């Protein structure tokens, strides 16, 4: 125990803890307190009103539940797509494919692009006279052309598509880093036992990639629940409120001056994320903690 | 190579090129339209520019005061990344290796921050109270603080001693190995852990 104490002294924690508590925890807790008040732009006094704001959120005559549903749907769909695609690309590019460095660089490129530029570019690609429709017409698929950001369910899927386009490269990079650390011995041993691609994948790659899965899942989940920029730039939550998510509506509420309800929504979000995050970390760390 | 292997290789190349092209087309679109006149760029098409407007770039750099803003961005990036790596790796080093009850609690307390929504108005009040408002240092410290939860989570995930893949490369025995006990903790963490995490 003494060596432990000497090797890993408590004061190593101080720097991170001090910064974190003062510039992160205190402002967040204050925000949670504000969610129990009627704080708004229209009234200088701030009164404690208990759970009133939360009642507003869950009442049937408001659309907040739809926004929560949209957020969760976006999170799950984009996380799954990015993980599957990212892993597939990482597996492809980890081997000895010719030009793999070029492909890795290209696929990573969109993640350094700003959301604003991505959004504006895709707005012009997806509009009725845009590039996507032009390409579809060029190959004779006129029936598939549409206004991607306005018709039916397509706005949601367009936003998901843009997000996957932008985010997959980053996830791929994490998986690539994870793949390079798996020793070749495991694959050789599996090959001697007669394992083909799928069995090697299921029994060697996936278990040894668990730490990477933990990181990408938390990353994707936190990003998805907090998604704002990409939706705000491409659809502004529209058409109507079809693609409205929690952070776009919180942004609008603050703009209108309803600070109380806004902070209540973001506190609710915190609760959702904390619970989901706890279970995900527990689940994925089972192997790691052993 | 057998015919089957050749075919598989071909499939791989076709797939990866399809993905790369999907990624590249919008990027090329941005690049091509950046050298068009305002009127031509409005349509955002792949038509070749009628008049090459390389002056667009000069204008953006001047009107957007890009040199100054790039300098500022660089300053905040360097400050927050350097400071963040130092404090977070120190914390993660202890948290991942000395797993006492208290340290476990501190770990979850910090990682919980990944989900916490910072209230910006309360944040401004705190920064005013600490005399950090409107200072370069203050903003640097703020950006560092904002990345503490995720950095600690990530570095701990990379350095936990266990049979997972990444962990294998940073076994805790390395820290306990010869010499380490006579080194100070700083040097120990620098020598045993950080090279393995890089």
């Amino acid at each position: 125990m003494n060596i432990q104490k000497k090797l890993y002294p408590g004061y190593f924690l101080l720097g991170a803890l001090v910064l974190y508590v003062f510039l992160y925890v205190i402002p967040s807790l204050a925000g949670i307190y504000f969610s129990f008040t009627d704080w708004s732009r229209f009234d200088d006094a701030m009164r404690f009103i208990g759970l009133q704001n939360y009642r507003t959120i869950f009442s049937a005559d408001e659309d907040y539940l739809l926004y929560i549903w949209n957020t969760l749907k976006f999170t799950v769909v984009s996380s799954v797509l990015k993980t599957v695609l990212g892993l597939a690309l990482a597996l492809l590019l980890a081997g000895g494919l010719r030009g793999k460095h070029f492909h890795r660089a290209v696929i990573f490129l969109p993640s350094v692009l700003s959301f604003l530029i991505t959004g504006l570019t895709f707005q012009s690609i997806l509009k009725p006279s845009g590039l996507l429709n032009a390409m579809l017409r060029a190959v004779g698929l006129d029936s598939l052309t549409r206004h991607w950001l306005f018709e039916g369910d397509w706005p949601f899927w367009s936003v998901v598509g843009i997000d996957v386009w932008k985010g997959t490269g980053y996830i791929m990079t994490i998986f690539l880093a994870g793949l390079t650390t798996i020793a070749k011995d495991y694959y050789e041993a599996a090959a001697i036992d007669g394992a083909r691609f799928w069995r090697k994948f299921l029994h060697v790659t996936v278990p040894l990639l668990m730490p990477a899965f933990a990181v990408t899942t938390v990353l994707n989940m936190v990003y998805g629940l907090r998604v704002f920029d990409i939706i705000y730039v491409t659809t502004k939550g529209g058409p109507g409120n079809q693609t409205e998510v929690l952070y776009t509506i919180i942004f609008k509420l603050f703009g209108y001056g309803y600070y109380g309800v806004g902070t209540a929504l973001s506190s609710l979000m915190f609760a959702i994320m904390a619970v989901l995050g706890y279970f995900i970390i527990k689940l994925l760390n089972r192997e790691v903690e052993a | 190579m057998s015919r089957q292997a050749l075919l598989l290789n071909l499939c791989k190349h076709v797939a990866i090129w399809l993905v790369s092209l999907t990624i590249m087309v919008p990027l090329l679109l941005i690049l091509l339209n950046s050298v068009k006149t305002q009127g031509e760029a409005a349509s955002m098409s792949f038509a070749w520019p009628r008049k090459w407007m390389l002056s667009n770039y000069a204008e953006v750099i001047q009107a957007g005061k890009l040199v100054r803003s790039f300098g500022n961005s660089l300053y905040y990036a360097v400050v927050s990344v350097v400071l963040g790596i130092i404090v977070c790796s120190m914390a993660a080093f202890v948290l991942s290796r000395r797993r006492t009850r208290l340290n476990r609690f501190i770990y979850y307390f910090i990682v919980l921050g990944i989900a916490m929504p910072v209230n910006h108005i309360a944040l401004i009040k705190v920064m005013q109270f600490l005399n950090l408002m409107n200072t370069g240092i203050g903003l640097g410290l703020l950006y560092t603080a904002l990345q503490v939860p995720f950095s600690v989570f990530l570095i701990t995930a990379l350095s936990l001693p266990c049979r997972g893949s990444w962990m294998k490369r940073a076994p805790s025995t390395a820290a306990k190995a010869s010499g380490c006990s006579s080194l100070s903790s700083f040097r120990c963490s620098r020598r045993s852990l950080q090279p393995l995490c890089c």
Side-chain angles (χ1 to χ4, degrees):
Chain A
M1 203 61 221
N2 240 343
I3 292 176
Q4 281 270 303
K5 229 177 196 165
K6 209 181 134 207
L7 263 180
Y8 312 119
Y11 64 82
F12 263 37
L13 296 171
L14 275 182
L17 268 182
V18 166
L19 279 175
Y20 174 62
V21 167
F22 277 99
L23 295 176
Y24 207 126
V25 177
I26 293 177
S28 306
L29 290 183
I32 292 174
Y33 168 74
F34 289 146
S35 72
F36 296 105
T37 65
D38 68 346
W39 186 29
S40 74
R41 183 191 289 159
F42 320 109
D43 191 356
D44 281 337
M46 198 195 286
R47 277 175 301 269
F48 189 82
I49 53 166
L51 291 171
Q52 193 74 53
N53 289 326
Y54 292 91
R55 247 171 251 143
T56 313
I57 292 172
F58 285 110
S59 75
D61 21 311
E62 304 276 351
D63 289 329
Y64 294 116
L65 289 177
L66 170 73
Y67 309 146
I68 295 177
W69 167 243
N70 278 348
T71 313
L72 292 176
K73 191 165 96 175
F74 179 88
T75 308
V76 172
V77 173
S78 71
S79 300
V80 169
L81 283 176
K82 277 192 249 182
T83 307
V84 171
L85 270 174
L87 182 59
L89 289 172
L91 285 173
L92 255 179
L93 292 175
L97 208 64
R98 185 179 296 171
K100 64 177 176 183
H101 295 290
F102 168 77
H103 290 298
R104 281 182 195 180
V106 167
I107 294 168
F108 184 73
L109 220 50
S111 20
V112 295
L113 218 57
S114 89
F115 284 102
L116 195 67
I117 294 170
T118 316
L120 291 175
T121 311
F122 272 97
Q123 240 179 12
S124 73
I125 290 177
L126 296 176
K127 70 186 176 189
S129 61
L131 188 67
L132 182 57
N133 282 348
M135 277 163 82
L136 285 173
R137 272 187 216 106
V139 294
L141 292 168
D142 291 55
S143 55
L144 284 180
T145 58
R146 65 191 84 229
H147 195 331
W148 299 93
L149 291 170
F150 275 96
E151 279 173 40
D153 283 339
W154 285 101
F156 175 80
W157 294 104
S158 303
V159 172
V160 168
I162 297 169
D163 193 57
V164 169
W165 178 85
K166 184 166 160 47
T168 304
Y170 194 68
I171 301 301
M172 177 198 74
T173 314
I174 296 176
F175 279 130
L176 270 175
L179 282 175
T180 52
T181 63
I182 300 179
K184 291 269 175 294
D185 318 8
Y186 294 111
Y187 291 107
E188 281 160 15
I192 288 169
D193 288 342
R196 304 291 290 270
F197 176 78
W198 276 111
R199 306 215 46 178
K200 279 189 206 165
F201 176 72
L202 282 180
H203 297 289
V204 179
T205 314
V206 171
L208 289 175
L209 220 48
M210 266 303 157
F213 275 115
V215 170
T216 56
T217 307
V218 171
L219 209 62
N220 278 332
M221 193 196 76
V222 169
Y223 170 79
L225 291 174
R226 280 193 175 165
V227 65
F228 170 75
D229 318 55
I230 200 75
I231 290 185
Y232 197 74
V233 186
T234 42
T235 66
K236 286 220 162 46
N241 53 15
Q242 213 183 329
T243 54
E244 202 83 75
V245 287
L246 274 176
Y247 264 78
T248 58
I249 201 68
I250 289 170
F251 181 76
K252 283 179 189 167
L253 282 172
F254 269 86
Y256 301 147
Y258 297 109
Y259 303 134
V261 186
T263 48
L265 261 180
S266 58
S267 305
L268 191 68
M269 179 83 140
F270 169 50
I272 298 176
M273 278 172 133
V275 172
L276 281 181
Y278 179 78
F279 283 114
I280 289 182
I281 291 178
K282 264 267 135 85
L283 193 76
L284 293 170
N285 269 3
R286 231 177 5 194
E287 198 90 3
V288 179
E289 296 263 358
Chain B
M1 236 190 279
S2 70
R3 248 182 84 174
Q4 210 180 3
L6 264 174
L7 204 65
L8 187 70
N9 211 19
L10 187 72
C11 284
K12 280 182 182 172
H13 274 286
V14 170
I16 201 70
W17 271 106
L18 275 179
V19 174
S20 279
L21 279 178
T22 318
I23 304 270
M24 272 193 291
V25 164
L27 295 175
L28 290 176
L29 195 66
I30 299 174
L31 208 60
L32 190 65
N33 281 277
S34 72
V35 289
K36 288 184 185 172
T37 59
Q38 183 115 37
E40 270 186 275
S43 70
M44 275 297 244
S45 67
F46 262 118
W48 210 244
R50 248 170 269 148
K51 195 171 152 218
W52 288 76
M53 294 284 288
L54 288 171
S55 58
N56 282 349
Y57 283 89
E59 200 180 321
V60 163
I61 290 171
Q62 247 165 23
K65 300 196 180 82
L66 276 198
V67 179
R68 181 64 204 264
S69 22
F70 184 74
N72 286 345
S73 298
L74 195 68
Y75 167 77
Y76 293 123
V78 169
V79 168
S80 65
V81 168
V82 169
L83 204 61
I85 288 178
I86 294 173
V87 294
C88 294
S89 63
M90 277 165 67
F93 176 64
V94 173
L95 289 178
S96 63
R97 293 299 162 77
R98 205 169 129 217
R99 301 183 70 74
T100 59
R101 207 167 247 279
L102 177 68
N103 280 357
R104 257 170 215 270
F105 171 78
I106 292 176
Y107 172 73
Y108 279 109
F109 172 66
I110 290 180
V111 169
L112 193 66
I114 295 177
M116 248 191 263
V118 173
N119 187 291
H120 292 275
I121 292 164
L123 179 66
I124 286 171
K125 287 194 178 142
V126 172
M127 301 230 346
Q128 277 168 344
F129 176 75
L130 296 171
N131 281 327
L132 288 174
M133 205 55 201
N134 289 327
T135 59
I137 302 280
L139 212 49
L141 287 176
L142 173 63
Y143 282 128
T144 313
L146 290 182
Q147 54 155 330
V148 163
F150 192 71
S151 302
V152 169
F153 169 69
L154 199 63
I155 302 174
T156 311
L158 291 173
S159 63
L160 270 177
C162 91
R163 57 205 170 98
S165 52
W166 284 340
M167 285 77 246
K168 273 200 94 137
R169 300 199 309 163
S172 54
T173 42
K176 290 174 192 152
S178 62
C180 234
S181 46
S182 62
L183 291 174
S184 72
S185 298
F186 274 105
R187 289 172 66 192
C188 174
S189 100
R190 218 185 64 217
R191 290 213 178 155
S192 73
L193 190 70
Q194 280 158 20
L196 295 167
C197 284
C198 281

